[in-house]
Amino acid sequence: MADVTVRAPAKINLHLEVLGLRPDGYHELAMVMQSIDLADTMVLRTTADDTIRLRSDSRELPSDGTNLIVRAAELLRSRVGLPELGVDITLHKRIPIGAGLAGGSSDGAAALAGLDALWGLALGRERLHGLAAELGSDMPFCLEGGTQLCFGRGERLEPVPAAGAPGQALLLIKHPQASVSTPWAYGRCRDLRGDFYLDAEEDFEQRRQALRQGPLVAALAGRGPLPHLRNDLQAVVEPEVESIRAGLELLRSGPGALAVAMSGSGPSLFALHPDLATAEAAREALAEPLEALGFDTWCCRCGGSGVSLVTDGSAP
């Protein structure tokens, strides 16, 4: 195969609950993640040598072995025992960087799926998910996408039965100068909420079951109204970051929102809406204060899949 194009969608968190600390030092989480149609596009081409080359239209992204795309290619090549394989990768970046939208994880997952096709490996879903989990906690979700319960570090997935996103679309905002370190956010959560952490597997499972049977999953399956969205990291980050406080206040004041929350560890914020037209109307209504405060904005649809090969010939 001469070249492969892969679409790498972003995600938002509809629920993020920090349950406690695991023996490996990571936090045990109970989450609901949702794909959205804001996506990067990756074009992968075969090469005549064994070089892994990455170029991007974003000056902010490294192109060396610190990038998840390169790490994914190196890991995949190593595991299949074919060091002679090479690839030239071009990334068209649309997902904002460091935004709590899993843009880097989705790009890494796209590299795994794209290279599996480009190199004709046919590894299968289970093996690709195992490699994704080694590289990052969000990467298995980014491979699968849709609406998923995510447990453990986030790598253990359970599809939400009969799920349809609570809003068909969202108004997404991020301040370009705002930055939140994920390790800092989790450390702050541990400092402020550590006394309430659970530490036994049976307690973790009780909270997982409460989420499975709770009002959010019921609403996602069309069996009730959408509840308040919980993000334990928002509870500790919002008081510390002024642009997050201002952005959440603005979104809450806008028309037609079903729910408002921060995604992941931030700083991206979103308001869920019944449809794209309602989200666009909210962006228009809030245009002046959003511009005055310097926010970037997107209106996105909720999506039903993760990374996917582009087969219709379309490209950015």
Side-chain angles (χ1 to χ4, degrees):
M1 188 175 291
D3 61 82
V4 169
T5 301
V6 191
R7 188 172 169 276
K11 63 83 184 169
I12 57 169
N13 294 85
L14 299 176
H15 183 92
L16 195 164
E17 189 175 352
V18 179
L19 305 183
L21 283 173
R22 298 153 47 98
D24 61 9
Y26 287 95
H27 280 84
E28 183 74 25
L29 305 172
M31 300 185 290
V32 177
M33 290 198 209
Q34 172 67 52
S35 299
I36 60 176
D37 68 357
L38 178 64
D40 295 340
T41 306
M42 183 181 301
V43 180
L44 305 96
R45 296 184 174 90
T46 54
T47 61
D49 57 23
D50 62 356
T51 305
I52 295 171
R53 287 186 291 269
L54 171 65
R55 55 178 65 93
S56 170
D57 53 13
S58 171
R59 296 181 179 179
E60 299 175 64
L61 282 181
S63 59
D64 59 12
T66 62
N67 190 296
L68 266 175
I69 296 170
V70 177
R71 289 173 55 200
E74 291 174 342
L75 178 65
L76 186 58
R77 186 172 66 176
S78 170
R79 291 300 169 83
V80 299
L82 296 171
E84 69 275 15
L85 294 175
V87 64
D88 186 271
I89 303 171
T90 302
L91 178 67
H92 301 278
K93 193 74 182 157
R94 288 191 66 224
I95 304 170
I97 296 167
L101 301 172
S105 293
S106 194
D107 291 343
L112 289 176
L115 289 171
D116 183 56
L118 184 75
W119 290 339
L121 303 176
L123 293 182
R125 178 174 173 271
E126 185 175 346
R127 193 165 177 195
L128 285 176
H129 275 246
L131 293 170
E134 287 186 48
L135 289 163
S137 300
D138 289 342
M139 281 182 63
F141 171 80
C142 293
L143 274 176
E144 196 70 23
T147 313
Q148 302 269 349
L149 293 155
C150 305
F151 300 127
R153 294 181 288 115
E155 83 286 3
R156 292 169 46 194
L157 308 182
E158 296 179 16
V160 174
Q168 297 300 308
L170 60 146
L171 171 56
L172 178 71
I173 69 173
K174 177 190 178 290
H175 197 285
Q177 271 75 58
S179 176
V180 177
S181 160
T182 298
W184 172 83
Y186 277 104
R188 189 71 175 148
C189 187
R190 185 171 60 248
D191 291 343
L192 296 177
R193 303 169 67 96
D195 289 347
F196 304 99
Y197 278 9
L198 305 173
D199 54 16
E201 173 58 30
E202 55 266 32
D203 295 327
F204 293 158
E205 182 56 31
Q206 186 177 47
R207 291 304 308 151
R208 295 181 199 121
Q209 193 62 17
L211 180 56
R212 293 182 187 110
Q213 297 177 348
L216 175 57
V217 170
L220 291 168
R223 299 195 307 270
L226 187 70
H228 173 77
L229 300 184
R230 175 174 177 173
N231 182 338
D232 287 350
L233 296 182
Q234 178 182 327
V236 300
V237 171
E238 183 178 354
E240 304 283 345
V241 182
E242 199 241 324
S243 69
I244 290 177
R245 293 196 303 276
L248 288 168
E249 183 178 352
L250 265 183
L251 290 178
R252 290 169 184 141
S253 72
L258 300 171
V260 171
M262 183 178 84
S263 184
S265 59
S268 291
L269 315 168
F270 64 90
L272 286 167
H273 286 269
D275 51 51
L276 192 61
T278 310
E280 292 281 9
R283 176 161 66 174
E284 185 175 348
L286 296 172
E288 187 174 332
L290 285 169
E291 183 178 357
L293 290 173
F295 280 98
D296 293 331
T297 67
W298 301 261
C299 285
C300 313
R301 290 185 175 91
C302 295
S305 64
V307 301
S308 58
L309 302 185
V310 176
T311 58
D312 61 4
S314 63

